[in-house]
Amino acid sequence: MDNLTFPDTVQLAVPFFIIAILLELAWITIKRRGGRYETRDAMTSVLLGAGNVVTGILLGFVAWGFYNWVWQFRFFDLGTSIPIIVICFLLDDLRYYWVHRFGHTIRWAWASHVVHHSSQHYNLTTALRQTWTGEFTGLMIVSVPLLLLGFHPAMVLFVGGINLIYQFWIHTEAITKMPRWFEAVMNTPSHHRVHHGRNAQYLDANYAGVLIIWDKMFGTFVPEEEKVDYGLVVNLGTFNPIRAAFHEWIGIFKDITQPNISLFDRFRYAFAPPGWSHDGSRDTSRIIKRKFVERHPEAKGKPGL
């Protein structure tokens, strides 16, 4: 059982990713709707995706080693039956929701995740914008309950891969809405477009991986209403993948090393919500929402506000 292996689902899905991107590009070109491709932006996404693969190969031993260390303290060994894999997938999707939510509300985690939101476009190549520094966030600790319950490390990684594959197709404007029953339960292009918006209403919403029900359960669901403005609150203004991958880490370093602030403020520059500042010179998403409602009182009470 300790030598259990599962297929590398993400690697197997690469041909599908390529075909899907080409089909989306053809659809947009022929129909002249359903999104937009910008060559430099798309190439940046591809390079960031390639970098994610490389760092995964070089640093994958960190998560694998940690998972196997935790595994020795498991309470049960649940095996590998189909029902167990399905349960593991569902619980891992809940795990993903919280990891994703932490990635937006803790700056240390945001420094890694921000790269995925750095594009001002929204197409299937955007899904390839993945972090190079995920192992440094420490969020692998959120998987500990699954391992202690008896879900094998290889299984946890396997279902996590399926989760990521699912999320690929929702990065598109070519699909407007899915059937109502599907929209009610599953994460969809419409729901995920909201997540990538920098509109005040859309900030910190729709963290779901596969099932949108987690957002509805925990109060973070916002439906797509107004047109989505994609990107960051303050966009990078560059197609440099190196800057996209590391700019927030550099920002944290500069903030925590500035003179004349307390040790607690240095801590908060790393672990408070993105946008926090000791002098109020920047705005967190909560403050952005509040200021938006002050300017637009008619929006008060809308989902996300």
Side-chain angles (χ1 to χ4, degrees):
M1 182 68 175
D2 287 341
N3 294 322
L4 180 67
T5 59
F6 282 87
D8 186 339
T9 51
V10 176
Q11 182 177 346
L12 292 173
V14 169
F16 160 75
F17 294 163
I18 296 172
I19 293 171
I21 289 171
L22 293 175
L23 288 174
E24 182 191 43
L25 180 58
W27 171 268
I28 293 171
T29 302
I30 295 170
K31 296 292 185 178
R32 298 187 180 279
R33 58 183 173 85
R36 178 171 175 264
Y37 271 76
E38 205 282 341
T39 303
R40 293 171 298 174
D41 179 82
M43 285 305 303
T44 299
S45 296
V46 170
L47 289 172
L48 286 166
N52 175 263
V53 172
V54 172
T55 56
I57 293 172
L58 296 177
L59 299 175
F61 71 91
V62 176
W64 180 246
F66 175 73
Y67 283 8
N68 278 281
W69 178 78
V70 174
W71 174 247
Q72 66 183 320
F73 303 108
R74 62 192 180 275
F75 303 131
F76 312 100
D77 189 336
L78 298 176
T80 59
S81 66
I82 297 299
I84 291 300
I85 294 175
V86 171
I87 294 171
C88 184
F89 175 81
L90 294 174
L91 292 177
D92 182 74
D93 194 45
L94 176 59
R95 185 272 319 168
Y96 177 86
Y97 169 88
W98 282 106
V99 167
H100 199 181
R101 186 166 176 172
F102 294 150
H104 282 258
T105 54
I106 301 172
R107 192 184 181 193
W108 187 264
W110 174 244
S112 173
H113 182 60
V114 63
V115 61
H116 185 61
H117 288 264
S118 59
S119 174
Q120 293 177 248
H121 301 278
Y122 194 77
N123 53 57
L124 291 178
T125 65
T126 307
L128 304 179
R129 285 196 179 224
Q130 297 295 327
T131 181
W132 297 356
T133 58
E135 284 75 13
F136 298 106
T137 65
L139 288 179
M140 64 186 72
I141 196 171
V142 184
S143 297
V144 166
L146 290 175
L147 300 165
L148 294 179
L149 282 172
F151 297 102
H152 193 277
M155 187 191 303
V156 172
L157 291 175
F158 172 70
V159 298
I162 295 176
N163 196 306
L164 289 176
I165 291 171
Y166 177 89
Q167 292 181 55
F168 176 79
W169 76 278
I170 61 179
H171 291 82
T172 185
E173 291 184 299
I175 299 172
T176 52
K177 290 278 189 178
M178 299 296 289
R180 183 176 298 179
W181 66 268
F182 196 87
E183 294 278 347
V185 178
M186 307 297 289
N187 199 8
T188 66
S190 176
H191 298 328
H192 203 60
R193 284 193 291 268
V194 166
H195 179 71
H196 275 259
R198 65 178 194 150
N199 317 50
Q201 180 183 4
Y202 293 159
L203 295 176
D204 295 345
N206 298 3
Y207 298 114
V210 175
L211 299 174
I212 199 65
I213 58 173
W214 308 125
D215 285 284
K216 295 181 177 181
M217 287 174 59
F218 297 114
T220 52
F221 174 70
V222 176
E224 184 179 27
E225 295 178 344
E226 63 183 63
K227 181 176 175 58
V228 183
D229 182 13
Y230 300 109
L232 304 173
V233 170
V234 179
N235 283 311
L236 291 179
T238 180
F239 296 106
N240 186 330
I242 304 296
R243 184 177 173 194
F246 297 109
H247 75 277
E248 190 68 10
W249 292 110
I250 295 170
I252 290 176
F253 178 78
K254 289 180 178 178
D255 285 337
I256 64 176
T257 57
Q258 64 182 293
N260 304 320
I261 61 172
S262 68
L263 182 61
F264 185 46
D265 283 343
R266 299 183 198 280
F267 175 84
R268 286 191 287 181
Y269 268 118
F271 296 103
W276 180 88
S277 59
H278 74 285
D279 57 1
S281 59
R282 309 173 199 169
D283 291 338
T284 64
S285 60
R286 181 173 296 182
I287 295 174
I288 291 172
K289 290 172 183 286
R290 188 193 71 207
K291 289 183 175 180
F292 180 84
V293 171
E294 289 173 354
R295 295 193 305 271
H296 306 276
E298 72 281 0
K300 185 176 181 179
K302 292 179 67 175
L305 296 173

